[in-house]
Amino acid sequence: MRNFFGNGFGSNSGKIVAMDRFDNGRSLSPIRQAEAYWTALLTSDGIPKRSQVDPRGLENILEYTFILERITPRLARFRVAGSHLNKLAGMEVRGMPLTAFFEPSARSQISDVLEQVFAKPAIAGFDLVSAGKLGRTRVQARMILLPLKSDLGDVSRVLGVLVSDGAISATPRRFTIQDTQLRAVSDVQAPKRPKRQLSTGFAEAPQEFKRPGSHLRLVVSRDD
């Protein structure tokens, strides 16, 4: 597990990594749009509330978007899920646990990361793969989990996006985890602005001020 974002999720420095596409060139813009939307909701109070998430702000990526509700520290279920997730699962996923999208060998790992998303809290990014077998093609996927507060103020909701690349078969897809990127929410809070320094590029060197006094002389006019 890496404690920084790569492969299109950004980095601790706030810069975006150039690699933002699947192997065949498909864009990962739904991931970026979701993270940008969530980041725009951040305030000085920290994590956004679930009630602040407006579907109209995510209308271009709704099919990939979902909302999770925390059930236990290591388990969360889908409250809302877009059509892309239903197609991957081969059924309606609302009410199902997030772990249902993963092979048994990967479920403990996803639960470990989910616990940190709620507890730290943190943002999690995943590189996923569903192996090709029984005539099915290999499918790549990327997922991001962005923590949210409930109306009670506890971190018990998640705004997420899951986008895959490859043919979706009629049978359910289950994924393994190739890589995980975890970043504390505190790392993406707006940094304090440094004190502004005045540029001296066009400034003239300050001159010493000399009080007039002994250098003055009285001029008397003798005009009649």
Side-chain angles (χ1 to χ4, degrees), residues 4-194:
F4 61 93
F5 270 142
N7 298 335
F9 291 102
S11 68
N12 284 339
S13 63
K15 297 179 180 180
I16 300 298
V17 179
M19 182 179 175
D20 64 349
R21 297 180 181 275
F22 288 109
D23 290 346
N24 72 352
R26 180 176 174 179
S27 175
L28 290 175
S29 62
I31 297 284
R32 289 176 175 273
Q33 289 182 51
E35 186 177 6
Y37 179 81
W38 179 88
T39 301
L41 296 178
L42 285 175
T43 65
S44 58
D45 296 330
I47 297 170
K49 287 186 176 181
R50 162 67 181 91
S51 57
Q52 292 178 263
V53 178
D54 188 340
R56 292 173 295 182
L58 299 164
E59 59 183 350
N60 294 331
I61 59 171
L62 281 180
E63 64 181 302
Y64 308 106
T65 304
F66 57 88
I67 297 288
L68 296 176
E69 177 187 18
R70 185 183 190 184
I71 304 302
T72 70
R74 293 167 52 85
L75 184 66
R77 67 180 179 183
F78 290 99
R79 289 293 300 270
V80 178
S83 59
H84 185 70
L85 282 84
N86 294 331
K87 291 177 182 177
L88 284 171
M91 65 186 77
E92 171 67 50
V93 302
R94 186 171 54 181
M96 294 171 54
L98 176 64
T99 50
F101 271 92
F102 294 87
E103 297 284 0
S105 60
R107 290 175 184 173
S108 178
Q109 185 178 350
I110 191 69
S111 294
D112 289 343
V113 176
L114 189 61
E115 182 178 11
Q116 295 187 65
V117 170
F118 290 125
K120 279 188 178 291
I123 304 170
F126 301 87
D127 298 338
L128 310 174
V129 64
S130 178
K133 57 183 178 180
L134 301 177
R136 298 184 304 178
T137 59
R138 179 177 180 271
V139 171
Q140 287 180 278
R142 302 281 170 80
M143 183 172 69
I144 188 170
L145 302 178
L146 303 155
L148 298 171
K149 291 180 180 178
S150 73
D151 290 336
L152 298 177
D154 59 325
V155 182
S156 59
R157 304 289 189 273
V158 161
L159 170 64
V161 164
L162 174 62
V163 55
S164 68
D165 190 47
I168 300 177
S169 59
T171 55
R173 284 286 184 172
R174 298 292 181 266
F175 294 94
T176 57
I177 301 172
Q178 289 189 312
D179 193 25
T180 304
Q181 306 91 34
L182 193 68
R183 180 171 47 155
V185 170
S186 58
D187 291 341
V188 297
Q189 300 284 357
K192 294 181 180 179
R193 294 183 178 180

